[in-house]
Amino acid sequence: MSKTRLLRGNIYNRYLPGIVPEPSEPNKKWWFIFKTGKLLVRNNGLAAEIPFFEEPSEIGVSTKFNLYLGTLDGYGCYAAVTDAEVSPQEGLEFREIRPLFGVLNDDILLLSFKAKQLAEWSRISQFCGRCGAHTGPKPDEMAKICPQCGLVAYPRISPAVITAIIKDDSILLAHNYKFVNNRYSLIAGFVEPGETLEDTVRREIMEEVGIKVQNIRYFASQPWPFPDSLMVGFTAEYESGDITVDGVEIRDAAWFKSGSLPELPDGMSIARKIIEWFKDNY
Ligand SMILES: [Zn+2]
């Protein structure tokens, strides 16, 4: 059986963050251009690359909300949005990000996550949330500042927890109504104000499948720009209760042994990374 490909890589292998371009930077830049959430890529056989040129007009694309991100391999990189009905040059194409897993280099895919989230934030933070004036970039950090009232707005990150619940040699997996096909995954949910991450783990599991857990342990985390989550992965042990699905979000949930797992999420998600850990250890 072939090993599932998991998303590896590190955003900082090739990328250095920055707020303002250095005058010494070369003219050519990496452009992460999004159109309704899809990323412009240059198709290169079975692989894809981020377009590399001086200005978007060179390839017939007009961009808005251009945001400098820092450098990638020593060249400036920008996130931008286009909504014009453009047909980019031959070989360039707007593609959904998720299917680019395994097509774009993993480090670059992770940088695309950042670019996607910031491009969208740049678009929706044009006006001050307090007084409605036009905002401008804050020169010393990744933020927008209001020239009228001074309100500073940072990019939004919405933390969410995702947990593998283990009972003896089984894992609890659930089918959410939103999942495609008959896919099963871990219990997940957004952190609410006032909660610790462990509180969220306990509350979400109780709400969605009606059981109590103990020994909650941090596993790993992953940015998830659909649209702006940070997924924080945990493992927990079953404590008590019988599975009772909420019927609102969760259609079905059950205990599975590693030899008889249902259809699972793809290797780009932290969910799959945690389930692979379970397969290796139980
Ligand atoms: Zn204001």
Side-chain angles (χ1 to χ4, degrees):
M1 204 170 64
S2 69
K3 196 94 179 111
T4 303
R5 191 181 181 282
L6 299 173
L7 176 60
R8 308 265 183 214
N10 182 319
I11 192 174
Y12 295 121
N13 279 341
R14 296 167 60 184
Y15 161 72
L16 271 177
I19 307 297
V20 180
E22 297 287 338
S24 59
E25 277 174 25
N27 290 337
K28 280 201 168 186
K29 308 164 185 91
W30 301 98
W31 286 90
F32 294 82
I33 300 173
F34 295 89
K35 181 180 166 185
T36 57
K38 290 181 181 174
L39 174 64
L40 184 65
V41 293
R42 186 179 298 284
N43 293 315
N44 181 8
L46 290 176
E49 289 162 359
I50 300 301
F52 184 58
F53 50 83
E54 286 187 28
E55 294 303 326
S57 56
E58 268 177 58
I59 54 153
V61 176
S62 62
T63 58
K64 295 196 283 193
F65 317 118
N66 296 3
L67 195 67
Y68 178 74
L69 301 178
T71 57
L72 171 63
D73 298 336
Y75 292 86
C77 55
Y78 286 78
V81 175
T82 184
D83 48 19
E85 274 311 313
V86 286
S87 25
Q89 277 178 355
E90 214 186 315
L92 290 167
E93 192 187 357
F94 287 99
R95 293 174 64 175
E96 296 285 353
I97 285 202
R98 292 193 64 161
L100 289 173
F101 169 54
V103 177
L104 272 181
N105 166 277
D106 280 0
D107 292 344
I108 301 301
L109 184 66
L110 284 165
L111 188 54
S112 304
F113 282 10
K114 179 186 180 87
K116 179 178 186 294
Q117 210 166 316
L118 288 176
E120 178 61 12
W121 166 75
S122 183
R123 189 176 71 81
I124 64 172
S125 59
Q126 302 168 67
F127 298 100
C128 174
R130 186 157 61 194
C131 77
H134 251 287
T135 57
K138 196 164 180 287
D140 57 343
E141 56 184 345
M142 188 60 85
K144 301 273 184 90
I145 185 159
C146 173
Q148 204 104 279
C149 75
L151 183 72
V152 175
Y154 292 94
R156 185 171 64 191
I157 300 174
S158 306
V161 301
I162 182 159
T163 311
I165 310 162
I166 310 292
K167 183 184 181 189
D168 304 321
D169 58 350
S170 299
I171 187 169
L172 188 142
L173 296 172
H175 177 81
N176 188 302
Y177 283 102
K178 287 184 286 192
F179 290 171
V180 292
N181 305 327
N182 206 26
R183 180 172 286 183
Y184 277 67
S185 188
L186 307 175
I187 300 293
F190 285 104
V191 179
E192 292 184 356
E195 288 181 334
T196 64
L197 298 173
E198 292 83 355
D199 287 339
T200 313
V201 167
R202 281 184 283 264
R203 175 182 54 75
E204 284 288 341
I205 292 170
M206 181 51 75
E207 281 175 8
E208 295 191 357
V209 290
I211 64 173
K212 265 183 135 173
V213 294
Q214 59 188 357
N215 293 332
I216 299 165
R217 288 202 178 87
Y218 174 72
F219 182 87
S221 63
Q222 182 180 44
W224 196 245
F226 308 102
D228 52 27
S229 300
L230 171 67
M231 303 301 296
V232 189
F234 289 91
T235 61
E237 290 168 17
Y238 168 83
E239 186 182 321
S240 61
D242 294 319
I243 295 176
T244 318
V245 297
D246 66 2
V248 180
E249 279 188 65
I250 305 295
R251 191 190 71 198
D252 182 47
W255 299 106
F256 293 90
K257 290 192 197 303
S258 59
S260 57
L261 292 170
E263 187 188 330
L264 299 172
D266 66 42
M268 186 173 119
S269 63
I270 190 171
R272 185 57 180 263
K273 204 175 273 185
I274 303 175
I275 295 168
E276 291 297 316
W277 162 85
F278 164 76
K279 280 162 76 175
D280 289 345
N281 288 280
Y282 288 88

